[in-house]
Amino acid sequence: MCGIVGYVGYRDCTDVLVSALTKLEYRGYDSAGIAVFENGKIAVAKTQGRLSDLTNKMETEGKPHGHAGIGHTRWATHGEPSDINSHPHSGRRVTIVHNGIIENYKQLKQFLIDNERDEFLSDTDTEVVAQLLDFYYDGNPIRCIRKTLHELRGSFALGIIFSDRPETVYAVRCESPLIVAQGQGEVFIASDVPAVIKYTKDYYLLEQEEIAVLKNGAVQFCSLHGRMLEKELLTADWDEDSAEKGGYPHYMLKEIHEQPTAVKTTITPRIEDGLPNLSECGITVDSLRSFRHIFIVACGTAMHAGMVGKYVMEKLARVSVTVDIASEFRYRDPLLTENDLVIIISQSGETADSKAALNLAKKRGAKTLAVVNVKGSSIAREADMVVYTHAGPEIAVASTKAYMVQLSVMYLIAFEMAFAKGKIDKETCRALTAELVSMPQVIDDTIHHVLDICQYISTRLISAESLLYIGRGLDYALSMEGSLKLKEISYIHSESYAAGELKHGTISLITDGMPVIAIATQNTLLEKTVSNIREVKARGAMTIVICDEKAEIGVDAADYLIRIPKINEMLMPMVATVPMQLLAYYTSVNKGNDVDKPRNLAKSVTVE
Ligand code: F6R
């Protein structure tokens, strides 16, 4: 949601904080700010707008100099984006940055007002925390953090400095992610590892309610009760380059091109003797045989990967699968039993609703499996079993490579489960797995093959006010993702629809020239989909059809054809995804939008 950073070391603190925040702007970018110890006093610089607005402001008004401080980039939850609502926020002696949400901030604010603490400047929940810390501060930072945390409800990660504890940064977390990175003679806090990878690859994961004290270039950990803690130092297995744009104009385009490698890295270690083998992730053949029902629970793009998973698992393994939006699942009192498997899919592993769904599933005794990209994230740690997707850091807000690797894991699970249940024989399982293994090359070819046509067709989309994405079967599952991708970065209203359902109401939306993007990769359903395409074309729609290179689709149905390689139709989603991503990307570029940071969105949704 927001990004927080902190630094204690020998470098210029402002430079480090700004550099680290640059890597966290994907988490929020409607205001930015820092607080630095300058000559023993806390100097604050903050502004509404992007980080570049903050650096411009510091250039004209002067930037704080020092060696310890905290910083923030914001995605507004409480109070509009404004200078005054920007972090850091201060009490009399305490200044903080905060990622997350304080659910009971109104009651706490009232409590403070009742206790003659009514010095509130902003509309934020964060300022209430700063004032509460201040209220409890009696010269002992740990005690004051403990008392404050005791009062807070919600999810949060905090970077805290006390005016009478110069050159020291405190950090604590509850739900929202936070790492502490250790360099040579310098130490950092950050919401995510890429923020500081330029300085060091070594980091600690701060656990629930652990406090980190950063001082003299080193860190000490303690519990809320002040008990010293030993923690395991982890090393990131990717470097700065893999978190940079590498010559691409946008992270999104870079990440689209990284998909072949991401899929290869994800599936290769899970294939043995030509067959899927997920035992390393804790998934046994016996357990795969035994599940009564499978729930796939996720949000947004990750949920769309689950939709594809449902089709494939049901078809191959003959097990019933329900896909749920996490924010619905957590409140709909689902019929979960100990014989069910709940698969939580999440790129970040920190999405609040997905995490709550996981907790609910565990409470009800179901087995839980996380499909997660970020190592050591909350969902990965809390699930019974975890399959990591190895996409590497995904920086663009619009998910591409993470979706692709989530698909690849859905296939691995479906193949292994179908084989374990005796629904397919070894040879069929081997053949399917071999096709999955060939996907990186097919995806790579597809990217190069469709790039130009997608770029061209996007010029026909930019003036549209609204469009439809349609498909049947797996293509329908895919159209949901195509539609989401397009709307979130192009800002064109788009809906996905089951092609056969159009005539039950939605077809009345079709007007002259309205773009309809049809996915028609499922041969068994091709004729039916083509009739639906003809129906919208006959009513004036401009039709763009994504189909395989052999599909017989004439100009009577398609104004534009995007041909992709023909492979096993069950695996077509991994290929058809590519033109959908590129159409969205180029439409956004052609409209002059901020592709990697679309308005109102944040990469990691750690609030409900
Ligand atoms: C859209 C997108 C989002 C995420 C969703 C879940 O491009 O990225 O819809 O898929 O917010 O996020 P994770 O996967 O981190 O749980």
Side-chain angles (χ1 to χ4, degrees):
M1 225 61 309
C2 302
I4 68 175
V5 293
Y7 179 71
V8 177
Y10 55 86
R11 300 178 206 256
D12 183 275
C13 181
T14 300
D15 291 346
V16 174
L17 295 176
V18 168
S19 144
L21 287 173
T22 316
K23 305 288 186 316
L24 292 181
E25 262 201 308
Y26 71 90
R27 300 177 69 90
Y29 34 82
D30 54 44
S31 55
I34 59 168
V36 172
F37 281 107
E38 187 176 48
N39 302 323
K41 291 217 166 72
I42 296 174
V44 173
K46 60 183 186 176
T47 185
Q48 176 186 350
R50 302 239 157 157
L51 201 55
S52 53
D53 296 307
L54 178 67
T55 45
N56 290 342
K57 185 173 180 176
M58 290 194 295
E59 252 165 47
T60 47
E61 295 177 13
K63 72 171 193 178
H65 288 288
H67 298 286
I70 51 181
H72 190 266
T73 176
R74 178 169 187 247
W75 187 80
T77 55
H78 294 80
E80 55 171 19
S82 69
D83 285 1
I84 213 79
N85 286 336
S86 310
H87 298 215
H89 287 285
S90 303
R92 293 172 195 167
R93 294 157 300 171
V94 185
T95 296
I96 68 169
V97 287
H98 164 217
N99 168 32
I101 206 156
I102 307 299
E103 286 164 6
N104 58 336
Y105 81 103
K106 282 194 182 140
Q107 294 92 310
L108 295 173
K109 193 168 185 173
Q110 194 53 53
F111 165 80
L112 287 162
I113 291 169
D114 293 345
N115 283 277
E116 288 161 23
R117 293 280 185 142
D118 52 4
E119 306 142 16
F120 295 99
L121 303 173
S122 75
D123 306 318
T124 64
D125 52 347
T126 305
E127 191 184 13
V128 175
V129 180
Q131 294 286 4
L132 194 64
L133 281 160
D134 205 274
F135 178 77
Y136 284 127
Y137 189 47
D138 59 359
N140 181 329
I142 304 294
R143 191 157 53 217
C144 131
I145 292 172
R146 177 172 69 242
K147 284 185 176 167
T148 304
L149 254 68
H150 191 68
E151 306 285 334
L152 301 182
R153 304 276 166 276
S155 56
F156 49 86
L158 300 170
I160 310 166
I161 51 180
F162 296 87
S163 58
D164 61 352
R165 299 274 162 163
E167 310 305 314
T168 310
V169 170
Y170 294 80
V172 67
R173 73 166 275 240
C174 175
E175 305 296 341
S176 303
L178 198 65
I179 61 112
V180 180
Q182 179 69 70
Q184 293 288 331
E186 56 186 347
V187 64
F188 312 76
I189 58 167
S191 299
D192 205 352
V193 181
V196 292
I197 198 94
K198 162 175 174 186
Y199 303 103
T200 176
K201 288 183 177 185
D202 296 330
Y203 66 100
Y204 301 93
L205 284 170
L206 203 62
E207 303 283 345
Q208 293 287 78
E209 302 193 341
E210 286 179 348
I211 298 174
V213 184
L214 285 66
K215 197 176 174 180
N216 295 331
V219 59
Q220 284 194 323
F221 298 98
C222 66
S223 71
L224 280 186
H225 295 279
R227 187 169 51 84
M228 301 308 288
L229 302 169
E230 287 295 325
K231 289 185 64 68
E232 186 190 353
L233 187 64
L234 306 170
T235 302
D237 52 10
W238 36 272
D239 55 22
E240 198 190 347
D241 270 359
S242 53
E244 293 289 348
K245 280 190 207 153
Y248 290 95
H250 300 100
Y251 282 112
M252 183 174 173
L253 190 60
K254 174 178 180 253
E255 288 161 7
I256 290 172
H257 279 85
E258 283 171 347
Q259 294 182 115
T261 310
V263 170
K264 193 169 177 191
T265 321
T266 299
I267 63 173
T268 307
R270 280 75 186 253
I271 294 171
E272 211 178 281
D273 191 23
L275 295 167
N277 183 342
L278 293 161
S279 55
E280 151 255 351
C281 315
I283 304 173
T284 63
V285 172
D286 280 347
S287 67
L288 285 171
R289 274 192 205 114
S290 64
F291 297 119
R292 178 197 71 108
H293 186 86
I294 296 178
F295 293 87
I296 303 181
V297 189
C299 302
T301 289
M303 192 273 288
H304 296 153
M307 288 297 297
V308 172
K310 169 190 163 76
Y311 277 84
V312 181
M313 284 177 210
E314 286 193 338
K315 189 162 180 74
L316 284 178
R318 307 314 291 161
V319 60
S320 71
V321 181
T322 314
V323 181
D324 271 86
I325 295 168
S327 55
E328 291 294 316
F329 181 84
R330 63 184 291 191
Y331 294 118
R332 80 166 170 83
D333 197 8
L335 291 169
L336 284 164
T337 72
E338 285 167 8
N339 301 321
D340 298 331
L341 172 68
V342 177
I343 303 178
I344 306 283
I345 309 177
S346 175
Q347 186 282 127
S348 62
E350 299 294 348
T351 302
D353 285 319
S354 306
K355 224 157 80 176
L358 169 67
N359 291 336
L360 175 70
K362 285 181 74 174
K363 228 183 262 163
R364 302 250 171 123
K367 286 274 166 305
T368 55
L369 165 67
V371 178
V372 167
N373 196 44
V374 177
K375 236 202 243 161
S377 55
S378 308
I379 292 174
R381 282 180 294 156
E382 284 164 28
D384 300 322
M385 303 167 277
V386 53
V387 179
Y388 280 112
T389 52
H390 299 306
E394 189 177 63
I395 307 296
V397 166
S399 182
T400 52
K401 62 176 178 170
Y403 173 72
M404 188 67 95
V405 291
Q406 286 160 357
L407 292 185
S408 71
V409 170
M410 292 296 105
Y411 286 110
L412 281 177
I413 296 173
F415 297 169
E416 190 170 19
M417 190 181 295
F419 182 42
K421 287 171 68 100
K423 302 293 177 193
I424 56 173
D425 60 22
K426 201 177 214 174
E427 281 328 297
T428 311
C429 192
R430 267 222 175 92
L432 285 167
T433 310
E435 292 193 69
L436 185 61
V437 169
S438 70
M439 289 313 296
Q441 190 57 53
V442 183
I443 296 167
D444 199 41
D445 293 345
T446 309
I447 295 172
H448 294 99
H449 184 66
V450 302
L451 203 99
D452 288 348
I453 178 92
C454 290
Q455 193 164 7
Y456 170 67
I457 292 174
S458 72
T459 61
R460 306 297 319 275
L461 298 180
I462 48 176
S463 51
E465 277 181 8
S466 184
L467 62 80
L468 289 180
Y469 246 105
I470 61 169
R472 282 173 177 259
L474 270 173
D475 289 335
Y476 172 49
L478 209 57
S479 73
M480 295 180 194
E481 174 57 9
S483 174
L484 175 67
K485 208 84 314 166
L486 196 101
K487 77 179 110 185
E488 71 178 316
I489 57 171
S490 75
Y491 313 147
I492 297 171
H493 170 254
S494 164
E495 270 189 69
S496 68
Y497 239 79
E501 181 69 7
L502 281 175
K503 55 172 88 62
H504 299 286
T506 307
I507 202 161
S508 70
L509 288 177
I510 304 289
T511 50
D512 231 16
M514 178 179 179
V516 174
I517 306 176
I519 311 174
T521 69
Q522 300 297 297
N523 270 336
T524 36
L525 297 166
L526 188 64
E527 261 182 47
K528 293 189 186 305
T529 309
V530 172
S531 334
N532 299 134
I533 302 171
R534 283 204 191 100
E535 283 161 11
V536 291
K537 188 161 161 55
R539 285 159 179 84
M542 175 179 80
T543 54
I544 298 145
V545 183
I546 300 173
C547 61
D548 73 51
E549 59 215 350
K550 303 224 167 81
E552 285 177 18
I553 300 179
V555 284
D556 57 327
D559 290 305
Y560 299 99
L561 275 173
I562 303 177
R563 298 271 187 194
I564 53 178
K566 183 172 171 58
I567 53 160
N568 183 331
E569 69 179 42
M570 195 177 295
L571 286 154
M572 281 306 269
M574 291 183 79
V575 195
T577 298
V578 171
M580 291 179 347
Q581 295 168 338
L582 289 168
L583 282 175
Y585 171 75
Y586 283 115
T587 307
S588 177
V589 170
N590 287 328
K591 287 189 75 172
N593 295 351
D594 192 342
V595 177
D596 287 333
K597 294 174 196 150
R599 69 184 178 210
N600 305 339
L601 288 173
K603 182 74 183 159
S604 182
V605 186
T606 53
V607 294
E608 192 177 343

